[in-house]
Amino acid sequence: MLRRVSSQIDPLLFEIRRTFRNLQQTCTEALFCTSSMSAEAVGARAGSPIKVSLTDSAGRGVFTTRNIGSGELIHTAKPLVTHPSLALSDQVCCYCLKKLDKDGSSGIFSSLKGEDGTSYCFCSEECRDVSKACCEVESKADWSLYHDHCRAKGLKYPLMVKRFACMVISGAASADDLGILQPARLLPGAVSQMEEEFELLKRTLLKAQIDERLTGFLTKQWYMGVLARIRINAFRIELVAASYKDLLESATASVAAQAAVGNALYMLPSFYNHDCDPNTHIVWIDSAFAKLKALRHIEEGEELRICYLDASLDCAARQKLLSEGFGFHCRCFRCLSHD
């Protein structure tokens, strides 16, 4: 009798173990395949010569799975969250940040006006479809006070938190989609400012009469966590000039400190660690669709690194910026050599 029961239990235990292993595998894949990041992370793992692994000293990093030649395109990346510079909201695509030429071929595909007069313009059907649900939520609110606050204090990352919150409300993203990203250290002074911004964001959405059941995720803790992750992982988007006119406009904008068309957050590029003498760099040609290219020949198994700042700065300036902006002391070969 016991032997018969045992023979029945053993296959059951086998099935339980197999189910548990499958569940572990599913959870691991889900970590890299949420609805907002699957196209980028899965595509990179399947088709690009890279993998994300742990480093000896800098947490996660991106490594090559084969030799890569100098100048080779390693992979591309679409942004998870973008926000145009406030001064350019009617001049660039709301999603990809491509400059709109209203008199040329890259005109406005469609546009939407917000309660505060903000323009939500798109350069293509694809960009409109990706952003439509989020922008319809965002356009219901009057963001004048929130935008004025950001302008007065020179803030850009709260704008991205605002957009991500609207993505969550619209169902285009999950509230915990950015939880996998590394957060920045929060200084005491920054916390009090974040509290002020959070209250302003919350009041703006309440005044827009957004269903409170849809904003239940929006707590002070959530706001600070998302802002801390965006602050350290977002990229400033400066597009490559495609014509003499673009060059002239870019030079004028640089003088006015408005060279950036906006900011963008990515999943896979956020795993790249820093080096003051990088082997990889990110370029944006005409939109926020990022291209990561090799700066030199890279051996199989080598970690891919980008430079988080202007590599032409001297060692002391680089160390100061990295410490204050990213919270780490750089120990790359250049810095150890005091170059």
Side-chain angles (χ1 to χ4, degrees):
M1 177 68 177
L2 286 174
R3 189 172 298 162
R4 187 164 60 246
V5 171
S6 176
S7 65
Q8 293 172 343
I9 289 176
D10 286 345
L12 180 61
L13 289 175
F14 175 79
E15 286 300 321
I16 290 173
R17 291 192 186 102
R18 187 172 67 173
T19 301
F20 181 70
R21 284 195 298 269
N22 290 340
L23 181 61
Q24 283 183 310
Q25 179 66 22
T26 300
C27 289
T28 301
E29 291 177 354
L31 184 65
F32 290 94
C33 305
T34 62
S35 60
S36 63
M37 58 197 275
S38 58
E40 178 179 315
V42 176
R45 289 193 301 159
S48 297
I50 56 175
K51 65 178 180 178
V52 177
S53 300
L54 290 176
T55 67
D56 293 332
S57 59
R60 294 165 302 194
V62 181
F63 295 81
T64 62
T65 57
R66 63 166 173 78
N67 292 345
I68 295 176
S70 177
E72 182 177 338
L73 175 64
I74 301 170
H75 71 91
T76 61
K78 290 184 179 181
L80 296 176
V81 186
T82 61
H83 200 290
S85 299
L86 290 176
L88 301 175
S89 63
D90 62 343
Q91 300 176 44
V92 300
C93 177
C94 185
Y95 171 62
C96 76
L97 307 181
K98 182 177 183 179
K99 291 181 180 178
L100 301 172
D101 181 5
K102 298 176 183 178
D103 300 321
S105 58
S106 58
I108 300 175
F109 180 79
S110 65
S111 62
L112 179 69
K113 277 287 185 182
E115 286 292 321
D116 57 359
T118 298
S119 296
Y120 299 87
C121 307
F122 308 100
C123 68
S124 66
E125 185 176 358
E126 177 187 1
C127 288
R128 182 203 62 185
D129 291 346
V130 169
S131 304
K132 184 179 179 182
C134 165
C135 289
E136 285 179 349
V137 170
E138 192 173 329
S139 65
K140 293 177 182 178
D142 183 347
W143 297 101
S144 300
L145 293 177
Y146 196 82
H147 288 176
D148 288 345
H149 173 84
C150 292
R151 285 192 192 94
K153 295 185 177 290
L155 304 175
K156 52 190 177 182
Y157 302 131
L159 298 171
M160 298 187 70
V161 180
K162 172 202 74 174
R163 177 142 298 170
F164 184 61
C166 291
M167 289 172 64
V168 175
I169 292 170
S170 72
S174 173
D176 58 358
D177 273 356
L178 304 186
I180 194 174
L181 299 180
Q182 179 71 22
R185 274 187 320 185
L186 299 180
L187 301 175
V191 171
S192 60
Q193 179 173 291
M194 287 181 182
E195 290 175 344
E196 181 183 0
E197 294 156 8
F198 164 73
E199 294 297 338
L200 193 53
L201 175 62
K202 190 81 171 180
R203 284 199 305 271
T204 301
L205 290 171
L206 284 174
K207 286 181 180 179
Q209 298 182 332
I210 303 293
D211 191 332
E212 291 189 27
R213 290 173 296 181
L214 299 176
T215 59
F217 69 92
L218 188 55
T219 64
K220 189 182 300 182
Q221 181 181 10
W222 180 88
Y223 181 91
M224 292 183 177
V226 170
L227 186 59
R229 284 169 171 78
I230 287 177
R231 180 174 176 268
I232 202 171
N233 291 289
F235 290 83
R236 171 186 168 99
I237 308 301
E238 294 186 14
L239 305 181
V240 174
S243 65
Y244 177 76
K245 178 184 176 183
D246 288 341
L247 274 172
L248 187 60
E249 289 178 350
S250 178
T252 304
S254 295
V255 172
Q258 292 180 346
V261 293
N263 294 277
L265 182 70
Y266 305 84
M267 188 55 65
L268 190 55
S270 295
F271 292 133
Y272 280 71
N273 288 314
H274 165 83
D275 196 300
C276 294
D277 185 20
N279 55 15
T280 309
H281 70 151
I282 302 180
V283 293
W284 295 273
I285 306 301
D286 62 353
S287 72
F289 292 179
K291 298 179 184 296
L292 286 95
K293 293 191 172 185
L295 287 170
R296 58 170 173 78
H297 177 77
I298 303 172
E299 297 288 336
E300 179 181 348
E302 188 176 345
E303 184 181 1
L304 298 170
R305 292 190 170 228
I306 59 176
C307 188
Y308 292 175
L309 38 70
D310 183 352
S312 66
L313 294 170
D314 62 39
C315 182
R318 297 197 310 271
Q319 289 288 354
K320 185 175 187 296
L321 288 172
L322 290 169
S323 176
E324 293 178 356
F326 297 92
F328 68 88
H329 182 75
C330 184
R331 297 184 60 79
C332 72
F333 180 78
R334 274 191 71 191
C335 287
L336 291 176
S337 304
H338 301 287
D339 180 7

